[in-house]
Every structure is written in C-alpha cells, then in structure tokens.
Amino acid sequence: MADKKINYKEVYDYLIDNYAMNKNHALGILANVQSESGFRPGVMGDHMIEDPTGNLDNKDRLVRKKGDIWYYSHGDKKGQQVEGNLIEGIKPTSGGLFQHHGSRFDSMVNAAGENWATNWKGQIDYAMTERSMKKYLKQNYDNLEDAVGSFMKIFERPADQSDANVNKRFKNIKLFTEIGIDTDTPNPQDRFQGEQEGNQGGETEKQLETEV
C-alpha cells in the first residue's frame, strides 16, 4: 500500500550503505522525513486552493483539513475557514517521503517510475541527485540539531523556517533511538564529501522560488 509506513532502520541503512553517508547526515534526513511524510512514501500533502488571480503567495494558498472543514494553515488567513467556493479546487501539490513540491514532485515521479508511491528507494535515489542534497552533504555537522536544521532549510525549505520548527523536527531523533539506531556515538569521518567533489557540473535542478 502506498500510504504504508516504511521502516526507519531500512531507510537509515540504505543511506549509510548505498551512499556512504555519515550518521549525522543520515539522521538529519530521517528527522525531516518524519515531519514531512511520517515515512509514508505515497502520501500527498501541501493542499492548496486555486489562485485564479495568479497573485497569491504559496503560504496564502496552503490549507489543512480538520474533520470535515478546511482551514487556512499559513498566511494572513491562518486559522480561518476556507470559503465554500474554493473548496472544490483544493488539490495536493507535494508528495512522497520528502514531500517534493510542484515541478520537483513531477521530476521525482518521472525518476522513480509509475510505482513511485511505493518505490521509496527510487525516491531517495532521485533526492540524492538534487543540488540541494549535494549542498547539504558537503557540510559537516558537529551535532544532530545542526544537521536537522540544515536539511530543513537547505533541502526541504518549508514555509515555517523558525527555530521552533527545527526543534520540533529534532525531537524526532528519539524515535530512531527507540529502534536501536545509536544517536550518541561520535560522528564518523564523512566519506561522502570526497566522492562529491568534482561532481557539480551538468546540474539540471531548478531552484523553485514558489516552493513551500
């Protein structure tokens, strides 16, 4: 099933074993994936109202459903109920483990294939080709909180860039401790960084100003 949760440890091992990633980098990614998709590779999110004017920022279009009622989740109308004439046009704009948004989502689907919603390895493989992922992996982090915050701001780029959101994501680390991932040992040498040197050309990823 597309909305079935995948195992944290399998994702962690895939990052470590297939991409020679160090622990802090891997756990920084996992903490964000938990907040973005709850490790459900087929989940869709970032529901938005239509914008017939073309003048609304993404944050002003974001909505969230509570029970049977849609509410604005960001912007000046945060907490207000969505107008009835706009409800029919609400659509998800992000999907997958990382909640790739807009054209990034389309590119991820093309890369992972028609079974993208269950192909979590394909989603990770695509993410590893993105410039923002390479930028994250080139930096070394002495502590997990810095890694979590950096991945949020460099790769995920949510509407809420606050320290409070970083802290919320950082608290996800305890989930991985509970399944046997050691989050307290010294950070090993980053083997991935050296492999990425000289591999910065030919990048096709587009920086999305509209990304939420």
Side-chain angles (χ1 to χ4, degrees):
M1 292 177 60
D3 60 349
K4 183 179 179 181
K5 277 182 93 169
I6 57 176
N7 184 275
Y8 306 138
K9 187 65 163 54
E10 287 186 29
V11 177
Y12 178 81
D13 288 344
Y14 189 73
L15 294 174
I16 298 292
D17 296 340
N18 287 271
Y19 290 100
M21 196 177 295
N22 73 33
K23 185 187 66 176
N24 281 1
H25 278 140
L27 289 171
I29 292 172
L30 263 62
N32 277 277
V33 168
Q34 174 61 28
S35 288
E36 293 291 333
S37 64
F39 285 85
R40 292 174 294 161
V43 71
M44 299 294 294
D46 284 342
H47 289 78
M48 292 187 178
I49 61 170
E50 291 182 338
D51 178 17
T53 68
N55 296 323
L56 292 175
D57 291 335
N58 274 357
K59 67 178 181 179
D60 296 318
R61 298 173 57 204
L62 283 166
V63 296
R64 183 170 298 166
K65 195 173 187 180
K66 296 181 180 179
D68 295 325
I69 301 175
W70 287 97
Y71 295 91
Y72 289 97
S73 57
H74 294 78
D76 295 336
K77 291 186 176 182
K78 183 177 180 179
Q80 296 182 30
Q81 191 170 334
V82 176
E83 297 84 348
N85 64 312
L86 297 176
I87 292 176
E88 187 176 347
I90 294 173
K91 295 179 181 179
T93 60
S94 302
L97 287 177
F98 301 97
Q99 287 296 285
H100 277 102
H101 176 75
S103 62
R104 285 179 81 196
F105 171 70
D106 295 336
S107 296
M108 180 276 286
V109 170
N110 287 335
E114 61 182 15
N115 66 332
W116 71 268
T118 54
N119 183 14
W120 62 268
K121 291 181 180 179
Q123 292 186 31
I124 291 175
D125 293 341
Y126 170 73
M128 295 297 295
T129 70
E130 294 186 277
R131 182 168 52 206
S132 52
M133 178 67 83
K134 293 176 182 178
K135 181 178 179 180
Y136 167 73
L137 292 172
K138 283 185 70 176
Q139 302 182 39
N140 288 312
Y141 303 102
D142 294 330
N143 60 74
L144 286 175
E145 188 167 9
D146 285 348
V148 171
S150 183
F151 191 79
M152 184 190 85
K153 294 175 181 179
I154 292 175
F155 185 90
E156 294 293 354
R157 304 194 290 275
D160 182 1
Q161 295 270 312
S162 68
D163 290 341
N165 196 14
V166 173
N167 187 54
K168 180 179 179 181
R169 292 171 184 238
F170 176 66
K171 289 180 179 178
N172 293 331
I173 293 294
K174 66 181 180 181
L175 297 173
F176 315 131
T177 304
E178 292 170 358
I179 62 167
I181 297 176
D182 184 1
T183 62
D184 296 322
T185 56
N187 188 31
Q189 179 66 33
D190 189 353
R191 293 172 287 161
F192 189 91
Q193 182 175 348
E195 296 176 8
Q196 289 303 308
E197 298 298 334
N199 190 29
Q200 302 303 312
E203 197 59 46
T204 59
E205 182 198 4
K206 180 180 179 182
Q207 182 72 25
L208 298 177
E209 296 298 332
T210 58
E211 192 173 333
V212 295

